[in-house]
């Protein structure tokens, strides 16, 4: 069993698991942090951004000044933003049979995989994952396509040139593989390959394994996956949450008794408690608005925003903010708010029950009704008529490189009355703000990440007790900036196996059993003998038939009726008579008796070709830690008897002798396989 | 009655206790003995062993009956004869905790009774001279102490703790001499059995005046300190340090035990070796380190206990001297840093401590409490700066829970107040000023928190700080430059009633010091204040919760008392408005506070009440007749009498009492001025009296109407205020306590006890 690790980002995983002749891709997250190296795409012409000076080398060489621009000491690529794809060279992605998606954030690379690698398999995901994933992709494509950029920089990607660039461009990995955003056509084609699944639904993959999605409690429709055969179970835990937010709670019980648990998508901010951050968010929002300032919340169009709106719904009246307008601007704002209300079966119990009242599960419906929350597809159009300040604006993209947020950063950045509050943990807020420097507006960092923290992981692992844990390398040691925080890593026994991008991991467990079915007529012919209370054995002669990863023992074919004379009948054609009772081989070897037999000169009728037999002389028996060694010095033969194996080591090529020994051995009680060397 | 077959267990229990009460008198005891009643009740022929015995209430009655009965030598003989002592022994392990505890106390009582006679006045009689009953009990205790079963040892230790805590006879000395070797032997066991009870016993012995001079005792204490685990030894160490006189060596050892966990933390977190620690050479005590690292709960438990014990010790006059203020401050700051994750220890132990403590609210609360206690001492400026910076870190951190924030606010307040005590300095020093500049934005944010507990603690902190520093220029400037006053004002409309109440108090305090939200416009200087007053009256009359209304009433009272300019402009209108709101209030505390305000108003009109000291002989101060008449007119106009008379018959006693006091004061003032024209026989007096009678009967619908001052004085004289005061001074259950209903009371009590048959705490 092998795990191919195609992504180095712990919360945007992309791994391929080879298990029992199936090739399963686990998530295909898209690392968008690469876009932080690019200049923002302004919706409205920005003189500031378009007049940034070009960057030149220390020696004054300015051949890159068209591609690279300098802003407050940072260098940015002036081009269409590009994304860092999962590894495509480590494994032939056309061999991937299925892709399992755990949540809508972890499917953003899907079009790259399904449309450009020869992939012919199926993608499995829950309905909300697909629908909201589609919204996220649609928003992304829209953000980038509506600001067409003539220029596409590629010179800087040259390895020799990249070395000369300042950080972080210099340290950016695999820039040659960075790709521009996909098109809506590719998105549609990719999504058409998805098959919808429900929680706890069992999906058979080629008869070899069964995969099952389980609720992970993180987002609408988010799932963990169980991949199991008859005797092996692999759990894939990605982006799970134990907090009480809007999605259905996490199903932990089904993860029990796993041989391997692959653990990804933990909280990116393990030191921040989401409750505290929500408090911080509300307090700062209220302070800013009370002072007449505006609040900008860069966010994704789905996810934490639902919980934030719910908190604000409860908070605004108490904080005297009822008259402040809240704007949600995204090409998919309307769909996102509506989708959230219709996926009742995927919501937490509390929200599910509201549907029967009937009430909308989320209170943002009421905010919309009372005109406190208004949503627009873009800043253009109706919004510009309704826009009233001070206000609170929720808009994307959290990287601050594209989307309507760029406009608001340019608009409000100059006033210290305004505040930008970062709630999405995916991007470093300092890097996100770099192309907007110098900035007068206040910046508050309240990352809200509801995914598991290390304390919760520790409890989870104690609860589900997997034999082995596999995780990204970032989780196997404390964060580099806080190397003393031993609590910020996975602590389990045996220690977790860690992986990094482009690494192939041999998972530490061997398959020991396979399920074989016995045809009823064959089973009927078996005559078990009880060798000890509760244990019966029977010898079987049958044909093993294997098809579609299913193994069946069938009765051996009836011999063809002899058409010729007796001459053609050979001993090997005899059907073994199953009903004749033969002694079964089991139990330990009584060494003394065995030695005595060896010493005796005997005649063994079942071995007719041994006409004359002399006993062995010069036999020595040595006791070892695990059993005995019987030395037949004269015959240069060594018999090693251990509890679970017996070896006859015989350098002499006289096989007869071996056959003799073996025969004597077999006539003793024998428990374990015998090897001949 | 006892012969009845279906006697209820409650009646039986009552009979046992009643018989005990009767038999407490020796002659009565003799009488009952003659009738063989006592053996029937307490002996083997009684309920003992019968079906009724299974009821805990019967066993409890049996023990209590004997406890009351055992007051004279005859009782002792009776106890010995009926074999009760053995039963008491067995009841010590009773399944009902009440019975078990009472049995232990009875044993002590019997022992004391037995020993008091022969040993009185003599120094510890020899053991063989002890009465048989005492011998038996002591032997039982000895056996229990030697027992391998911990519950038995615990019982023996508990009995001994009570003996040494309550019995002052010299015989206790002999008892200790006899039993101390057995107690010392307990220390040889590993783990020490019943360590809590052992600690209690040793402290009880050490506190006993009869025994505290025993040298052996100090040795035992020292031994115990070194044998017990760090967690078990903490309470003993604290107890030893609280003792008035004990050897210095023992005190040093005990203090070391308390300091040990903090010393370990200090050493583990020290950046460089050789940093001065808390304890010379003992910081690395392996037992403490092992406990700290063994598990999260052990670590948290030990640190919390150590911090709490040191916090209790800090203000005591007998605390160890020199008090290691600086290393203690260092240790507590380190603990707080470990808890917040801001410490970066380099050692292994430090790293593991950090992993255990990070985010631990219990330790944070204990450490902040102790840090607050340490504000009473001083420290080098560098360390004080660290204290303020860790406090600020906690106040700022979004990770701080509401309880931790509350403690952080309290500790900050204590440190701020102690740091500004510099003599001869009327304003804040530059460090404090700088801290305030950083603190106020944090407070601002906390006042906007979605968590009401946080808003509430923020307001409480603001109130306290303003109360102390409202007059200091530095504070005033910083506060006025911030949005805190405005936010406080907005919190008057908070959805949470506790927050509204705190906001009312804080706003009252701020406005008392002239710290208004925004400077009032020059054209209308009082506009802001007026509207604040309006807001308070609005809260008083409309708020659905009692807390904000009580707070508003207190603020109004303070404003009137302080003679604030805007109130003083037209106090009549002010008082009339407030009293009108208070008179309709359903909350008795608001009505009582309304009477307080009325009293303040009266005093302002008529002069102070006499000395409040009940023992001083105060001559009533006389007011000139003209002033009195005028004052009464005013009081009539503000309808103070209607309010006070209604309150006189209030269903809540404190309100009625307060009103009675107020009216008595007024009558005394009026009496001193005889020239006021009375209208004793006028129809209005009669109607007032009739109305009052109806009010007293519970019909409060009818208003009193407008009253003439003369009629008021007449009514005041006619109402029996003294009688009413005396009645009100009786406890609310004085009727039930009358002799006629004594038996009913006892039976009712039995009934209540019966309901408590199940053990509960």
């Amino acid at each position: 069993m092998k795990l191919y690790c195609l992504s180095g980002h712990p919360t945007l995983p992309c791994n391929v698991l080879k298990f029992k002749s199936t090739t399963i891709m686990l998530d295909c997250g898209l690392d968008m942090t690469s876009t932080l190296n690019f200049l923002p795409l302004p919706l409205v012409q920005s003189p500031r951004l378009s007049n940034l000076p070009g960057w030149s080398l220390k020696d004054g060489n300015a051949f890159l000044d068209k591609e690279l621009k300098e802003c407050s000491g940072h260098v940015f690529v002036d081009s269409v933003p590009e994304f860092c794809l999962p590894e495509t060279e480590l494994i032939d992605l056309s061999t991937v049979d299925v892709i399992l998606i755990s949540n809508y954030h972890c499917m953003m690379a899907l079009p790259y995989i399904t449309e450009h690698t020869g992939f012919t398999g199926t993608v499995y995901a829950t309905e909300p994952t697909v629908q909201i994933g589609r919204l996220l992709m649609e928003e992304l494509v829209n953000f980038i396509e509506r600001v067409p950029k003539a220029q596409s920089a590629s010179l800087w990607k040259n390895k020799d040139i990249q070395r000369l660039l300042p950080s972080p461009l210099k340290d950016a990995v695999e820039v040659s593989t960075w790709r521009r955003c996909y098109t809506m056509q590719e998105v549609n084609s990719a999504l058409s390959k998805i098959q919808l699944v429900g929680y706890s639904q069992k999906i058979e993959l080629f008869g070899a394994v069964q995969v099952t999605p389980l609720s992970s409690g993180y987002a609408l429709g988010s799932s963990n996956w169980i991949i199991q055969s008859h005797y092996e179970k692999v759990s894939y835990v990605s982006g799970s949450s134990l907090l009480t937010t809007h999605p259905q709670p996490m199903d932990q019980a089904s993860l029990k008794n796993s041989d391997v648990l692959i653990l990804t998508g933990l909280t990116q901010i393990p030191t921040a408690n989401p409750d505290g951050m929500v408090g911080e968010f509300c307090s700062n929002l209220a302070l800013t608005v009370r002072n007449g300032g505006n609040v900008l919340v860069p966010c994704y169009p789905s996810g934490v925003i639902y919980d934030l709106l719910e908190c604000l719904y409860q908070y605004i009246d108490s904080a005297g903010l009822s008259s402040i307008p809240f704007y949600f601007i995204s090409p998919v704002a309307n769909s996102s708010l509506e989708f959230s209300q219709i996926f009742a079966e995927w919501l937490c119990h509390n929200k599910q029950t509201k549907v029967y009242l009937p009430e909308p599960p989320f209170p943002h419906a009421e905010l919309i009704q009372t005109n406190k929350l208004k949503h627009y597809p873009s800043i253009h159009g109706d919004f510009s008529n309704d826009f009233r300040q001070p206000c609170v604006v929720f808009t994307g993209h959290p990287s601050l490189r594209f989307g309507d947020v760029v406009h608001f950063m340019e608009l409000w950045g100059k006033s210290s009355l305004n505040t930008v509050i970062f709630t999405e943990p995916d991007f470093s807020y300092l890097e996100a703000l770099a192309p907007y420097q110098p900035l007068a507006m206040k910046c508050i960092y309240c990352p809200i990440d509801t995914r598991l923290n290390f304390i919760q992981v520790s409890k989870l692992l104690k609860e589900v007790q997997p034999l082995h844990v596999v995780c990204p390398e970032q989780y196997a040691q404390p964060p580099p900036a806080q190397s003393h925080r031993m609590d910020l890593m996975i602590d389990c026994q045996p220690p977790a196996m860690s992986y990094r991008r482009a690494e192939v991991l041999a998972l530490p467990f061997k398959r020991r059993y396979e399920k074989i079915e016995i045809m009823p007529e064959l089973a009927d012919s078996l005559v078990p003998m009880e060798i000890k209370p509760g244990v019966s054995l029977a010898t079987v002669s049958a044909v093993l038939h294997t098809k579609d990863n299913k193994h069946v023992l069938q009765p051996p074919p009836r011999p063809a009726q002899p058409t010729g004379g007796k001459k053609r009948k050979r001993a090997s054609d005899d059907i073994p008579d199953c009903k004749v009772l033969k002694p079964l081989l089991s139990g330990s070897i009584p060494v003394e008796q065995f030695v005595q037999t060896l010493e005796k000169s005997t005649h063994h009728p079942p071995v007719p070709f041994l006409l004359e037999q002399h006993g062995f002389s010069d036999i020595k028996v040595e006791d070892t830690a695990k059993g005995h060694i019987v030395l037949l010095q004269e015959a240069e033969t060594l018999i090693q008897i251990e509890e679970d194996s017996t070896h006859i080591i015989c350098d002499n090529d006289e096989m007869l002798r071996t056959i003799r020994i073996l025969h004597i051995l077999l006539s003793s009680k024998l428990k374990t396989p015998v090897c001949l060397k | 009655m006892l012969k009845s077959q279906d006697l209820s267990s409650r009646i039986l229990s009552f009979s046992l206790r009643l018989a005990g009460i009767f038999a407490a008198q020796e002659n009565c005891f003799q009488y009952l003995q003659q009738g063989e009643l006592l053996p029937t009740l307490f002996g083997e022929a009684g309920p003992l062993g019968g079906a009724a015995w299974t009821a805990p209430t019967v066993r409890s009655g049996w023990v209590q009956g004997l406890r009351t009965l055992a007051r004279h030598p005859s009782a002792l003989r009776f106890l010995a004869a009926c074999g009760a002592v053995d039963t008491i022994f067995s009841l010590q392990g009773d399944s009902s905790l009440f019975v078990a505890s009472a049995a232990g106390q009875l044993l002590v009582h019997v022992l004391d009774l037995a020993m008091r006679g022969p040993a009185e006045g003599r120094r510890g009689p020899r053991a063989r001279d002890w009465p048989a009953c005492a011998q038996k009990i002591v032997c039982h205790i000895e056996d229990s102490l030697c027992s391998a079963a911990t519950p038995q040892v615990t019982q023996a230790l508990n009995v001994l703790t009570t003996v040494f805590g309550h019995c002052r006879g010299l015989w206790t000395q002999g008892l200790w001499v006899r039993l101390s070797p057995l107690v010392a032997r307990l220390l040889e066991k590993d783990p020490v059995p019943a360590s809590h009870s052992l600690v209690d016993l040793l402290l009880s012995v050490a506190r006993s005046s009869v025994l505290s001079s025993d040298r052996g005792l100090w040795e035992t204490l020292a031994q115990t300190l070194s044998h017990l685990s760090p967690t078990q030894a903490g309470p003993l160490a604290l107890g030893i340090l609280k003792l008035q006189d004990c050897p210095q060596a023992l005190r040093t050892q005990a203090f070391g035990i308390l300091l040990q966990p903090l010393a370990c933390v200090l050493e583990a977190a020290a950046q460089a070796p050789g940093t001065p620690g808390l304890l010379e050479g003992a910081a690395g005590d392996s037992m403490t380190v092992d406990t700290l690292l063994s598990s999260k709960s052990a670590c948290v438990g030990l640190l919390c206990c150590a911090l709490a014990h040191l916090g209790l010790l800090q203000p005591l006059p007998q605390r160890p001297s020199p008090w290691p203020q600086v290393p203690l401050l260092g240790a507590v700051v380190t603990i707080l840093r470990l808890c917040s994750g801001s410490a970066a220890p380099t050692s292994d132990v430090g790293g593991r401590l950090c992993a255990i403590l990070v985010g631990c609210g219990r330790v944070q609360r204990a450490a902040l409490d102790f840090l607050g206690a340490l504000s009473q001492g001083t420290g080098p400026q560098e360390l004080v700066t660290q204290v303020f910076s860790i406090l600020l870190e906690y106040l700022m951190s979004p990770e701080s829970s509401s309880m931790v924030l509350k403690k952080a606010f309290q500790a900050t307040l204590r440190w701020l107040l102690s740091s500004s005590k510099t003599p001869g300095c009327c304003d804040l020093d530059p460090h404090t000023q700088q801290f305030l500049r950083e603190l106020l934005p944090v407070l601002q944010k906390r006042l906007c928190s979605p968590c009401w507990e946080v808003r509430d603690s923020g307001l409480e902190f603001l109130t306290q700080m303003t109360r102390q520093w409202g007059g200091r220029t530095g504070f005033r400037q910083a506060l006025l430059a911030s949005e805190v006053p405005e936010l406080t004002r907005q919190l008057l409309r908070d959805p949470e009633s506790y927050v509204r109440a705190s906001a009312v108090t804080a706003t009252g305090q701020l406005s008392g010091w002239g710290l208004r939200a925004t400077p009032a416009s020059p054209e209308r200087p009082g506009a802001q204040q007026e509207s604040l007053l309006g807001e308070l009256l609005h809260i008083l009359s409309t708020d659905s919760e009692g807390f904000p209304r009580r707070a508003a009433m207190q603020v109004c009272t303070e404003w009137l008392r302080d003679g604030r300019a805007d109130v003083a402009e037209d106090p009549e209108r002010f008082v009339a408005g407030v009293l009108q709101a208070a008179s309709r209030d359903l909350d008795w505390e608001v009505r009582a506070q309304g009477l307080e305000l009325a009293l303040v108003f009266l005093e302002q009109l008529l002069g102070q009440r006499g000395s409040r000291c009940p023992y001083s002989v105060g001559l009533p101060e006389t007011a000139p007749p003209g002033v009195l008449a005028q004052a009464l007119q005013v009081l009539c106009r503000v309808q103070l009498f209607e309010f006070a008379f209604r309150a006189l018959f209030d269903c809540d006693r404190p309100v009625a009492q307060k009103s009675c006091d107020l009216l008595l004061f007024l009558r005394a003032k009026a009496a001193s001025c005889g020239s006021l024209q009375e209208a004793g026989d006028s129809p209005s007096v009669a109607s007032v009296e009739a109305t009052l009678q109806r009010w007293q009967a519970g019909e409060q619908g009818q208003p009193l109407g407008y009253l003439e001052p003369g009629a008021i004085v007449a009514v005041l004289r006619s109402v029996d205020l003294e009688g009413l005061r005396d009645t009100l001074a009786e406890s609310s259950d004085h009727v039930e306590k009358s002799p006629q209903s004594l038996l009913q009371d006892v039976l009712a009590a039995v009934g209540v006890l019966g309901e408590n048959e199940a053990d509960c705490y």
Side-chain angles (χ1 to χ4, degrees), chain A residues 271-273 276-280 282-284 286-287 290-291 315 318-319 484-487, chain B residues 341 343-345 351 354-355 358 396 398-399 444-446 448-450 483 487 490 494-495:
Chain A
T271 51
N273 158 27
M277 286 302 156
V278 168
E280 200 74 358
C282 291
S283 313
N284 283 298
L287 273 179
R290 275 184 174 148
N291 275 336
Y315 178 67
S318 71
H484 66 285
R485 292 290 298 269
M486 303 303 283
D487 56 317
Chain B
C354 183
V358 77
M396 282 167 103
E399 299 302 301
Q444 235 163 265
K445 197 174 75 184
R446 293 301 180 194
C448 291
S449 167
E483 293 160 41
L487 283 170
Q490 287 181 12
D494 198 275

Side-chain angles (χ1 to χ4, degrees), chain A residues 547-567:
Chain A
K547 188 184 172 190
D548 288 344
N549 293 304
K550 288 219 180 337
H551 312 291
V552 182
L553 277 182
Q554 296 176 341
R558 291 264 163 218
Q561 286 301 315
T563 47
K566 282 187 178 176
K567 253 196 277 177

Side-chain angles (χ1 to χ4, degrees), chain A residues 224-288:
Chain A
N224 293 321
W225 290 86
I226 301 281
I227 303 148
Q228 59 187 341
S229 64
H230 293 297
Y231 295 102
E232 297 90 15
K233 180 171 173 180
V234 177
S235 296
Y236 175 59
V237 174
S238 164
S240 302
S241 175
L242 291 170
L243 299 182
T244 317
T245 53
H246 60 269
Q248 240 188 61
M250 178 181 178
D251 177 356
Q252 294 184 67
S254 308
L255 299 171
K256 281 186 183 170
N257 306 319
S258 304
D259 296 291
V260 173
L261 187 136
I262 303 169
L263 187 59
T264 66
L266 303 187
T267 175
Q268 299 189 68
I269 318 289
T271 51
N273 158 27
D275 283 340
M277 286 302 156
V278 168
E280 200 74 358
F281 172 81
C282 291
S283 313
N284 283 298
L285 185 142
L287 273 179
T288 305

Side-chain angles (χ1 to χ4, degrees), chain B residues 373-526:
Chain B
L374 285 177
S375 68
Q376 300 313 305
T378 52
Q381 185 55 47
E382 191 191 347
L383 202 52
V384 174
T385 310
Q386 283 182 28
V387 167
F388 277 115
S389 91
I390 191 78
L391 285 171
L392 200 61
E393 188 186 321
Y394 269 78
L395 291 174
M396 282 167 103
S397 167
E399 299 302 301
S400 300
S401 71
S402 55
M403 271 309 287
V404 168
L405 269 177
K406 192 182 172 78
K407 300 276 181 195
F409 271 127
Q410 286 170 349
T412 307
L413 183 75
R414 295 184 74 173
W415 273 95
L416 276 175
L417 298 183
S418 80
S419 72
S420 69
K421 272 187 198 152
T422 328
C425 180
C426 62
D427 205 7
L428 307 174
D429 63 76
H431 293 290
T432 313
Q433 197 72 46
Q434 174 59 29
F435 180 73
L436 266 186
R437 271 196 290 275
E438 292 173 57
L439 175 70
L440 287 172
V442 180
L443 180 60
Q444 235 163 265
K445 197 174 75 184
R446 293 301 180 194
L447 293 181
C448 291
S449 167
C451 172
W452 72 262
E453 291 93 336
V454 174
R455 300 196 295 273
D456 196 48
S457 352
L459 286 170
E460 278 174 6
F461 171 76
L462 174 67
T463 309
Q464 303 277 3
M465 211 161 62
T466 314
R467 184 164 291 147
Q468 303 290 337
W469 280 4
R472 300 211 176 189
T473 323
F475 174 73
R476 296 176 65 87
Q477 282 171 349
L479 194 71
L480 287 172
S482 76
E483 293 160 41
V484 169
E486 172 60 25
L487 283 170
T488 310
R489 186 80 187 270
Q490 287 181 12
L491 288 174
L492 289 176
R493 289 184 293 275
D494 198 275
E496 183 61 47
S497 65
Y498 296 112
V499 179
R500 288 200 300 277
S502 300
V504 167
T505 315
T507 316
Q509 195 60 241
L510 285 174
S511 94
W513 288 101
L515 293 160
R516 292 166 192 177
T518 42
S521 61
E523 299 89 53
R524 297 176 59 212

